[in-house]
Amino acid sequence: MKAFLILEDGNVFTGTSIGSTKEVVSEIVFNTSMTGYLEVLTDPSYAGQAVVMTYPLIGNYGVCYEDMESLRAWPDGYIVREIARRPSNFRSQDGIETFLLKHDIPGICGIDTRALTKILREKGTMNGMITTNENYDLEEVKAKLKEYSPAGVVEKVSRLKKTEHPADEGTDKGLKVALMDFGSKNNITRCLTKRGCHVTVYPALTSAEEILAANPDGIMLSNGPGDPKECTSIIEEIKKLYNSDVPIFAICLGHQLMALANGGDTHKMKYGHRGANHPVKDLSTNRVYISSQNHGYVVDDSSLDESIAKVSFVNVNDGTVEGLEYTGKNIFTVQFHPEACAGPRDSELLFNKFITMMEDCK
């Protein structure tokens, strides 16, 4: 069946339908990862977006459900150059097309994803529609695309009830971590439990009073989707957490929300950072790590006074803020994903730093 990707600027790509055949309007973003397509599909940070995979062949090692980063897939749509019809991997339990159908995600394959990515890099991220309707009216679709704006995505992806995750057997350090779920990936929890932490994962709208009443040894603010400035009520609760003496480690959206809670500012990037090959420099050691990233917003480097926070990491490619250390506080935050799964795991050592911080404070 034919499928069409129609962009806000009037560009149309014609390919073959994969997955669900429903029509969808979404923000179109691209990811440069060569592997980890299942982790991308199950990352809640992609809620409200349709993902273009720049690597030309997707699905060659199939789907292993154990590798999912959440209980379901989140992107609105999926766009690839070529889909592997017969996966080859001893762990494979399913094909990518079957997975897309199960999760009702429409997709399109057989288009020039390189040309599409160049458009998004030159003109910036824009809205698009995936449809199998050959009788679409281009002007009507363009008008619809210009009106679309995703909202409320953090509440959409966050869990409804808190969950408990004990430390892995034989590792228990007696440390309790409260993890705020703004769209948390499973591997954040795994990185903590394998280091001996008991993790309680809380819904995004949980009050600071409830979290602090549990006397955690540390608090983690997770990754998540959307515009951080929309999370006004969450920002108010983070202000209260900041004023406590509990060590805090924040990732991605959590990093942005902590900055906003302290008077910082954020802005939308032209096309964001999404992929598993972004170099970030640790300014304290001048060491460069290769990181996994997924964000379309960034903290303004001049918006926070050094009396509040100092920049700790920068992106080597464009100089944007990738990390902050808060002055006089046991708080550090990063824009990238140190829990990265399928990888790279260069910066997973930041979890060790968090463990040490909690032990010192305890």
Side-chain angles (χ1 to χ4, degrees):
M1 181 185 293
K2 273 188 178 181
F4 306 91
L5 171 64
I6 307 165
L7 297 181
E8 190 177 333
D9 68 350
N11 273 294
V12 179
F13 292 83
T14 303
T16 303
S17 175
I18 54 174
S20 170
T21 57
K22 73 178 182 182
E23 188 171 275
V24 66
V25 171
S26 188
E27 183 181 42
I28 311 297
V29 300
F30 63 88
N31 184 294
T32 58
S33 300
M34 295 176 68
T35 60
Y37 52 79
L38 181 63
E39 288 83 352
V40 169
L41 281 165
T42 54
D43 181 350
S45 295
Y46 282 109
Q49 298 174 331
V51 184
V52 183
M53 300 300 293
T54 62
Y55 191 71
L57 177 64
I58 298 296
N60 55 312
Y61 55 86
V63 169
C64 177
Y65 288 100
E66 184 183 342
D67 296 340
M68 291 176 65
E69 284 298 307
S70 62
L71 293 175
R72 53 163 285 190
W74 291 103
D76 291 337
Y78 204 53
I79 303 159
V80 301
R81 175 68 184 91
E82 183 180 349
I83 201 95
R85 307 290 175 181
R86 294 184 180 178
S88 177
N89 178 7
F90 74 98
R91 297 178 71 236
S92 178
Q93 297 167 286
D94 230 333
I96 193 76
E97 278 198 274
T98 305
F99 182 83
L100 294 174
L101 275 169
K102 281 182 179 178
H103 292 271
D104 197 28
I105 296 177
I108 182 171
C109 73
I111 70 167
D112 188 343
T113 50
R114 181 172 179 170
L116 172 57
T117 302
K118 287 179 72 176
I119 290 170
L120 297 176
R121 281 179 61 91
E122 290 167 5
K123 296 185 178 181
T125 295
M126 65 181 79
N127 295 332
M129 173 188 282
I130 298 173
T131 181
T132 57
N133 177 17
E134 297 189 37
N135 299 314
Y136 64 84
D137 183 299
L138 183 57
E139 293 307 315
E140 284 185 10
V141 172
K142 285 169 63 178
K144 187 176 182 179
L145 293 176
K146 287 177 181 176
E147 293 173 0
Y148 173 77
S149 179
V153 282
V154 170
E155 290 86 343
K156 177 183 176 183
V157 303
S158 182
R159 69 198 62 210
L160 300 176
K161 297 180 181 178
K162 71 178 182 181
T163 57
E164 304 285 343
H165 303 269
D168 290 0
E169 187 175 351
T171 67
D172 196 345
K173 293 179 180 291
L175 296 172
K176 297 189 299 181
V177 176
L179 171 56
M180 296 297 297
D181 177 18
F182 306 136
S184 180
K185 294 162 68 179
N186 289 340
N187 209 42
I188 295 178
T189 303
R190 288 192 290 262
C191 284
L192 291 167
T193 58
K194 77 179 183 181
R195 287 171 170 79
C197 299
H198 180 103
V199 181
T200 304
V201 188
Y202 290 89
L205 299 181
T206 304
S207 69
E209 287 80 6
E210 180 179 344
I211 293 165
L212 295 173
N215 295 315
D217 297 301
I219 298 169
M220 281 216 63
L221 309 180
S222 82
N223 61 292
D227 184 347
K229 289 181 180 177
E230 287 187 356
C231 303
T232 52
S233 62
I234 296 173
I235 290 169
E236 290 305 311
E237 299 307 312
I238 290 176
K239 288 178 182 178
K240 300 173 190 175
L241 297 176
Y242 173 85
N243 289 323
S244 74
D245 293 324
V246 181
I248 299 175
F249 178 19
I251 292 171
C252 197
L253 179 64
H255 155 81
Q256 297 162 8
L257 295 175
M258 179 60 76
L260 290 171
N262 284 281
D265 198 9
T266 59
H267 69 268
K268 188 171 185 177
M269 305 175 77
K270 186 175 181 180
Y271 48 82
H273 296 154
R274 296 176 182 88
N277 52 1
H278 290 266
V280 296
K281 179 189 277 190
D282 182 344
L283 296 182
S284 65
T285 63
N286 282 329
R287 182 174 178 179
V288 174
Y289 300 93
I290 301 301
S291 69
S292 180
Q293 302 202 12
N294 173 16
H295 64 104
Y297 292 83
V298 67
V299 175
D300 292 345
D301 59 356
S302 59
S303 63
L304 279 171
D305 191 280
E306 285 199 358
S307 62
I308 298 174
K310 294 182 180 179
V311 176
S312 56
F313 285 88
V314 294
N315 189 288
V316 175
N317 290 334
D318 60 17
T320 53
V321 175
E322 293 281 1
L324 291 165
E325 295 266 0
Y326 283 79
T327 307
K329 291 282 186 177
N330 290 306
I331 299 173
F332 68 100
T333 70
V334 292
Q335 180 64 75
F336 50 95
H337 289 235
E339 85 294 343
C341 198
R345 297 179 180 174
D346 290 24
S347 56
E348 203 175 283
L349 55 87
L350 291 174
F351 285 94
N352 299 336
K353 176 180 177 177
F354 184 48
I355 299 297
T356 301
M357 184 182 286
M358 288 190 288
E359 289 176 331
D360 289 348
C361 289
K362 195 172 182 179

